[in-house]
Every structure is written in structure tokens, then in C-alpha cells.
Amino acid sequence: MKRKSSLLTAMLLGGSLMLAACGGESASKTEESQQKAVKLEETGPLTINPEISSEQEILSKGPNGEDAFSAIKLQLTEEELAKIKEGKYKAAIVMHYTGNDYSTAQINGLKAAFERMGIEVVAVTDGQFKPEKQIADIETVLAKSPDIIVSLPVDPTSTAASFKKAAEAGVKLVFMDVPPTGLTAGKDYLSVVSSDNYGNGVAAAETMAKQLGGKGKIGVIFHDVDFFVNNQRVEAFETTIKEKYPDIEIVARSGITSPNDGEEVASGMLTKHNDLDGIFAIWDVPAEGVLAAARATGNEDLVITTVDLGTNAALDIASGGSIKGLGAQLPYDQGIAEAILAGQALLGKEVPPYVAVPGLSVTEENVLDAWQLVYRQPAPEVVQSAAK
């Protein structure tokens, strides 16, 4: 199993490194063709996936301490959908970057929901993880006069003035994960929609602890930007380890500012602490870098956990590799939830300021079923083959 994992991982990580050299995108982008937008039901109310468990407690709080409103409760009736269609509205999707499965699924969920609502998507932009690029994207999008903008701010502070300008122009704003600094829910923007990122951090910690038998030395790679949901993941991971597993010691902490910094940071961590038993990485693309660093140092026993179910992470989990598990967001359904909130606001309804979609713990035992739930379609063939 270990040899099978190494070969498969080498194949996909090799593609990842080439893509990184060409533009900083994950190899997950190469699987984008396998993530075509799912056609939603043409009749009945518009909701997120009814197969998502309604019994799971959401642990996350909103950016201002708000209790989470479960996305499972959101819906637009057929009558409401018909009324929205009469408005012939336009929407724009302003992404932080589009180089991973998470972003692709968010965009696909938004597009599918907006199609059912009769809303034209006039732009989808890629901020390339650069605030100045996203600010320029907002200006370009505003020239198209959208009624709705759905976005994940690259930097909540430096992009705030541009989003404020959009709000003052009457655009209805819905944010993924985090609002811009200084903007107020109900006044400047409608709502923030996220996964249960705190819960996903807990899931990553529990998998780490189980794999290490409750003892060992670990490192944490965090996002060295004041990014609300990523802060929640790290807080949840570290709090769970410290409070529940006193024999697991966090001996190293290092930050990244770009998705592609993971390998360099992990290499430094493994060089300085050659007795590390595990590393938690803030999301799946940096975790791919950790995986590459572990392979380069011959550390095949390193336990890696993370958040987000991308193609490379799923492949390594399915093949029994070093990534042992993760907390998965449900980005396709996050996109649907964001669109529903925008639609409710177009109808004059008041919407909750913070909405969360339940998270999902993913391990080798359930990786294929998890992929189906996360993306509403079967896992890529390479992942299915690895799991056999």
C-alpha cells in the first residue's frame, strides 16, 4: 500500500509542481474537467443537498461572534424563484483565486443556483491571491452593473474600500468565509457563508490524535494573514490537541502567506525538528507541499492532516498515504446557500448575518462517499482506482 501511495502521489505532485512554476495553481486544476457544474432539480424548492446531515452540531461562530444559522434551513420556493426570474438580475463572482477544487465547486454551485433563479452570471474573476488584482477585478465587474456580487476577499482590509464602493452603488454583497474589514452586515453586505471551519479543525485534530495513538510531537502550518475562517481552523486544532491530548506536544509553528509556500515551510520545520510525528496544514494545497517535503526527506511515517478535500489530498488518503484525514468543507452547497441568500434579499427578505454549512470528517474509510457528498458527483477515476 505504501509503495502504491508513493507512486500515485509522485505522479500528481509532479503535475502540481509544474503548475506552480507556471502560475501558482494546484494540480487540482487539472481535474477541473471532472468537476462540471451539476444540474439541479428543475422543479421544487431550491435548497442545499438534503443528504447533508441536519443533526451535526455547528461549532463555528460568525466573524462578529454571531451564532451560525444552518444552511440546511435555507430555501427558495418555486413561487419565489419565478418572481426572481421576472427581475432579470445579474450577478458576478469575484474569487480570491480559482486554482483549486474548492473554488471550482463554489463557482459551480453558484452558477447552478443562479441558473435556476434566472440570474445571469456576467463575470467570474480570479484574484490570484493578490489584493491589488482583486481590487482591479471589482472595478471591472462594477462596470457590468451587477445586482449581486459574491466574493471571498483576498485581504479583508485592503479590499474593504472597493467592496464598500460596490455596496454604495446598491450591489447586494454576499461573502464566502469572511467580510471586508469595517463593513457591517445588514447595511453594507447581506451575509457571510462558510463551512463549519471550527468543526473541521476539530476533525483534523481528532484524526491526528487517533493516528498517533494519543502521543507524539507535531507541527502546525497556519495562514500568516488575519483570515477569520483559517484562524478558526487553527484555534480548533490546537485547542483540541492541548485540552484532550496532553501527550501530544506542538513543538513547531510556522506560517504561510501563499498556497505554494507549504513545501518550503514544511522542509524547514522537518529539518529543525527531525523527530516530528505529524504536521497539520491549514488547507489542502499547503498540505500537498508538506507531503512533497516529507517525501523529499524520506519521512514516510509523517502523519498529515488538513482541511479541504482536493483531488491530491483525496488521492493520498485513498491510497493509504501520509495524509490520513481532513475536515472537508462542502463548497458546492456553500455556493448554493450564497445564491439563495442573494435571492431572498432580492425579494426584500431579511437574511441572517452568518450562515454555516456542516463540515465532514474524511478518512480512508469514507473518502469516496465524502467526495460524492462534497461535489455531488463521483470522485475522479484516479482517486477511485487508488481506493480499490
Side-chain angles (χ1 to χ4, degrees):
M1 181 69 79
K2 182 71 70 175
R3 185 171 182 177
K4 178 182 179 184
S5 167
S6 298
L7 289 171
L8 287 165
T9 302
M11 289 166 59
L12 233 54
L13 278 174
S16 177
L17 293 172
M18 286 190 289
L19 281 168
C22 295
E25 293 186 349
S26 161
S28 299
K29 191 73 171 177
T30 66
E31 298 293 337
E32 188 173 331
S33 62
Q34 298 192 44
Q35 293 210 24
K36 301 298 183 184
V38 177
K39 195 77 172 178
L40 298 179
E41 293 292 334
E42 295 183 0
T43 59
L46 177 61
T47 67
I48 69 168
N49 192 341
E51 294 182 11
I52 298 171
S53 173
S54 60
E55 298 179 359
Q56 183 173 328
E57 180 185 5
I58 293 175
L59 302 178
S60 292
K61 296 285 187 180
N64 299 303
E66 308 99 326
D67 288 332
F69 183 93
S70 176
I72 293 169
K73 301 176 183 178
L74 294 174
Q75 75 163 0
L76 288 168
T77 66
E78 287 192 274
E79 292 77 13
E80 290 171 330
L81 289 167
K83 189 168 183 61
I84 293 170
K85 288 178 181 178
E86 293 173 1
K88 300 186 183 303
Y89 297 109
K90 297 185 291 184
I93 304 169
V94 180
M95 297 301 294
H96 58 323
Y97 82 130
T98 60
N100 66 347
D101 292 299
Y102 168 87
S103 295
T104 300
Q106 278 263 13
I107 293 166
N108 285 345
L110 282 161
K111 284 183 173 180
F114 281 141
E115 182 179 357
R116 272 218 64 189
M117 298 159 67
I119 294 175
E120 179 188 2
V121 177
V122 296
V124 178
T125 64
D126 179 356
Q128 300 174 4
F129 241 96
K130 300 174 182 177
E132 63 275 15
K133 172 65 167 62
Q134 190 172 58
I135 289 168
D137 289 342
I138 296 167
E139 291 294 329
T140 301
V141 161
L142 286 177
K144 299 178 181 290
S145 302
D147 301 286
I148 302 158
I149 290 178
V150 183
S151 180
L152 201 169
V154 171
D155 181 328
T157 299
S158 60
T159 61
S162 296
F163 284 116
K164 181 76 170 178
K165 178 181 178 180
E168 291 172 346
V171 180
K172 298 186 184 301
L173 302 176
V174 180
F175 292 107
M176 308 169 186
D177 290 347
V178 62
T181 303
L183 272 65
T184 303
K187 177 185 175 184
D188 302 307
Y189 68 91
L190 300 176
S191 186
V192 172
V193 180
S194 76
S195 177
D196 181 10
N197 281 282
Y198 197 97
N200 283 336
V202 171
E206 292 290 356
T207 298
M208 177 70 75
K210 181 178 179 180
Q211 289 292 325
L212 296 181
K215 60 183 179 180
K217 296 179 179 180
I218 65 172
V220 172
I221 296 179
F222 58 91
H223 191 196
D224 199 11
V225 174
D226 187 14
F227 209 74
F228 172 67
V229 295
N230 288 342
N231 294 346
Q232 282 198 315
R233 296 176 185 182
V234 174
E235 178 186 352
F237 180 89
E238 294 184 340
T239 298
T240 301
I241 293 296
K242 290 173 183 177
E243 293 185 354
K244 292 186 64 176
Y245 303 100
D247 292 330
I248 297 178
E249 184 182 2
I250 300 174
V251 298
R253 297 182 83 255
S254 296
I256 59 167
T257 56
S258 166
N260 298 306
D261 292 343
E263 182 173 1
E264 181 180 356
V265 170
S267 293
M269 190 177 284
L270 290 168
T271 298
K272 186 175 180 179
H273 303 275
N274 59 12
D275 57 347
L276 277 186
D277 300 298
I279 293 178
F280 167 74
I282 189 65
W283 74 90
D284 64 316
V285 179
E288 293 171 22
V290 177
L291 187 57
R295 291 181 59 247
T297 58
N299 193 339
E300 293 190 1
D301 295 324
L302 187 74
V303 173
I304 303 169
T305 64
T306 187
V307 176
D308 290 342
L309 185 64
T311 304
N312 289 349
L315 172 64
D316 200 64
I317 291 170
S319 57
S322 293
I323 301 178
K324 298 300 183 183
L326 51 83
Q329 301 189 81
L330 302 175
Y332 189 95
D333 288 283
Q334 284 176 243
I336 293 173
E338 291 148 9
I340 291 173
L341 289 164
Q344 289 179 337
L346 291 171
L347 294 170
K349 291 187 172 185
E350 185 176 347
V351 300
Y354 175 63
V355 174
V357 179
L360 179 65
S361 180
V362 182
T363 63
E364 186 176 357
E365 288 70 29
N366 72 336
V367 62
L368 297 184
D369 290 338
W371 188 283
Q372 180 73 45
L373 187 62
V374 170
Y375 297 112
R376 293 207 191 187
Q377 58 188 304
E381 182 59 38
V382 65
V383 178
Q384 294 187 47
S385 297
K388 293 177 181 177

